[in-house]
């Protein structure tokens, strides 16, 4: 794969996303748009790990919740958001790297890998729900059990704790973060590291016979996915102004997987779009009590798998390619050749 088409496609996605993000506040409130973008960022983290690395992680919510809790705990103890924001990314990155190293260097199969990541998430969920007592505290931050952690410092301008970033400003900050993360992930996937990671997904044994350490690259990719999920959790903590054990729940983990399947694996845009669409559907259904949200999400997943097995975005791309091929082309004009033996005048 050459670099120029990648750069062109990446720039096109960035431009289209920027235009849509600037126009979207005319249709929806920035408060709702912000959480939809955070969901998209979270889905993109699993889309990277699963779609390009072939690693089906049932515990992406663990890194999401870990990022949110790390930010909240650090923000209470420090009273500002700059270092907590960094910790909300670094802590899930390190934890995902450690967990990935144990799994990949242990040569676990895909089934056991999925089970372990799911169990880790459920352990976090169970533990955080049981921390209601005053003895469960980190510095000045009480974990709060099922009530969660409220009342911490939300995002502020670095160096100025009194200059809060909220409302429209927070929305545009999240837009900028999504743009930067997408560009960095596209650069990573276009690099030799990314190409080897995709090759590992296709045939790990062949890649190892070529002299590459597949376990190291899978661990690194898994850690990057954990960092992106932690970033999404950090942004969620600042948006919601409270973090609860529900971030580690089984339902949250299942939603992330559904977003990726519906949007389409093998791309970064697919999971992002799937999260935005289903996230908005969830908010719309939350305003009524006639239909159960879980039933609707399950129906959407079943219909998507049956009718669009590749996902929404890859299917739309395939249809666009077929439309371009079927478009009639103009026949090239024939040049008139001068007649032989004509008079010289």
């Amino acid at each position: 794969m050459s670099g120029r088409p990648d750069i062109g496609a990446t720039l096109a996605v960035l431009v289209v996303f920027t235009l849509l993000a600037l126009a979207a506040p005319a249709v929806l409130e920035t408060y709702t748009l912000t959480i939809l973008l955070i969901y998209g960022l979270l889905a993109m983290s699993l889309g990277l790990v699963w779609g390009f690395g072939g690693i089906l992680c049932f515990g992406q919510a663990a890194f999401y919740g870990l990022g949110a809790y790390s930010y909240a705990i650090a923000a209470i103890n420090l009273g500002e958001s700059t270092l907590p924001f960094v910790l909300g990314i670094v802590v899930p990155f390190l934890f995902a790297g450690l967990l990935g190293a144990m799994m990949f260097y242990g040569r676990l199969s895909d089934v056991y890998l999925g089970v372990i990541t799911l169990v880790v998430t459920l352990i976090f969920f169970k533990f955080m729900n049981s921390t209601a007592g005053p003895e469960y505290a980190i510095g000045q931050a009480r974990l709060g059990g099922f009530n969660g952690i409220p009342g911490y410092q939300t995002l502020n301008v670095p160096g100025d704790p009194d200059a809060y970033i909220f409302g429209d400003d927070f929305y545009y900050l999240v837009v900028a973060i999504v743009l930067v993360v997408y560009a960095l992930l596209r650069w990573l996937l276009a690099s030799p590291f990314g190409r080897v990671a995709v090759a590992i997904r296709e045939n790990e044994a062949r890649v190892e016979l070529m002299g590459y350490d597949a376990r190291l690259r899978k661990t690194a990719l898994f850690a990057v996915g954990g960092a992106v999920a932690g970033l999404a959790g950090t942004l969620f903590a600042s948006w919601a102004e409270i973090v609860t054990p529900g971030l580690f729940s089984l339902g949250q983990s299942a939603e992330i997987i559904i977003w990726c399947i519906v949007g389409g694996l093998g791309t970064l845009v697919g999971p992002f779009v799937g999260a935005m669409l289903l996230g908005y559907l969830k908010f719309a259904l939350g305003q009524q009590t006639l239909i159960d949200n879980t039933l609707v999400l399950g129906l959407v997943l079943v219909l998507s798998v049956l009718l669009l097995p590749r996902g929404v975005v890859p299917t739309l791309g395939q249809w666009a390619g077929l439309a371009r091929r079927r478009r009639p082309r103009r026949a090239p004009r024939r040049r008139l050749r001068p007649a032989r033996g004509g008079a010289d005048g």
Side-chain angles (χ1 to χ4, degrees):
M1 184 182 294
S2 61
R4 291 184 179 179
D6 282 344
I7 295 176
T10 301
L11 290 177
V13 170
L14 294 178
V15 170
V16 171
F17 174 78
T18 302
L19 294 176
L20 291 176
L22 293 176
V27 181
L28 288 176
E29 296 181 354
T30 55
Y31 183 80
T32 303
L33 289 171
T34 301
I35 187 57
L36 294 181
L37 291 177
I38 293 173
Y39 285 163
L41 194 63
L42 176 59
M44 198 187 302
S45 70
L46 182 59
L48 171 71
V49 172
W50 187 13
F52 292 93
I55 306 167
L56 176 53
C57 175
F58 285 96
Q60 205 69 11
F63 313 126
Y64 179 59
L66 191 59
Y69 267 89
S70 298
Y71 173 83
I73 293 170
I76 289 178
N77 284 285
L78 298 178
E80 67 96 35
S81 69
T82 305
L83 183 57
F85 185 85
V86 176
L87 290 175
I89 303 171
V90 173
V91 171
F93 172 79
L94 295 177
F95 179 76
L98 179 61
L99 180 63
M102 291 189 296
M103 293 188 301
F104 301 129
Y105 280 91
R107 297 289 187 180
L108 297 181
S109 64
D110 294 339
V111 175
Y112 287 105
L113 190 148
V115 171
I116 288 178
T117 54
L118 178 60
V119 169
V120 168
T121 305
L122 295 179
I123 289 175
F124 273 115
F125 178 70
K126 184 69 174 179
F127 173 75
M128 288 302 177
N129 271 297
S130 62
T131 57
E135 67 274 12
Y136 293 102
I138 301 177
Q140 300 177 5
R142 290 182 56 180
L143 299 183
F146 53 85
N147 292 318
I149 304 177
Y152 48 81
Q153 173 85 7
T154 56
L155 280 182
N156 59 259
V157 176
D160 190 356
D162 296 327
Y164 294 98
I165 302 175
F166 63 96
D168 293 348
D169 294 335
F170 185 60
Y171 166 70
Y172 290 114
L173 174 63
V174 175
V175 169
I177 289 175
V178 171
L179 289 171
V180 172
V181 170
Y182 176 80
L184 290 176
L185 293 182
R186 288 305 309 167
W187 169 80
L188 178 67
L189 293 172
S191 66
F193 172 85
R195 293 192 176 100
V196 173
V198 174
I200 293 173
R201 179 196 65 187
E202 300 297 327
N203 194 321
E204 183 174 345
R206 182 179 299 176
V207 171
E208 289 185 336
L209 289 175
M210 296 174 64
Y212 294 102
D213 189 349
R215 296 168 297 179
L216 177 61
R217 283 165 171 78
K218 291 171 69 174
T219 300
L221 191 68
F222 194 72
V224 172
V228 177
L231 172 60
T234 299
L235 294 174
F236 174 84
S238 186
W239 175 84
E241 300 182 17
I242 184 173
V243 294
T244 64
L247 296 172
F248 299 105
S249 67
L250 181 60
Q252 182 68 74
S253 299
E255 278 191 4
I256 304 171
I257 295 176
I258 293 174
W259 294 339
C260 293
I261 294 176
V262 172
L265 292 171
T267 66
L268 294 175
V269 177
F272 187 88
V273 172
M276 294 279 289
L277 293 176
L278 294 182
Y280 178 73
L281 178 63
K282 179 180 177 181
F283 274 103
L285 292 174
Q287 300 175 1
Q288 53 82 42
T289 58
L290 182 62
I291 306 175
D292 185 18
N293 293 359
T294 306
L295 179 62
V296 174
L297 287 177
L299 181 61
V300 169
L301 175 62
V302 172
L303 292 177
S304 175
V305 172
L306 293 177
L307 302 178
L308 303 173
R310 298 183 59 189
V312 173
V313 172
T315 301
L316 292 177
Q318 184 180 18
W319 289 350
L322 292 176
R324 285 195 297 267
R325 294 174 187 173
R326 293 177 180 176
R327 187 179 302 170
R329 298 180 180 179
R330 293 182 178 180
R333 295 182 179 180
R334 299 178 62 183
R335 295 182 179 180
L336 299 178
R337 297 181 180 179
R340 295 182 180 180
D344 294 334

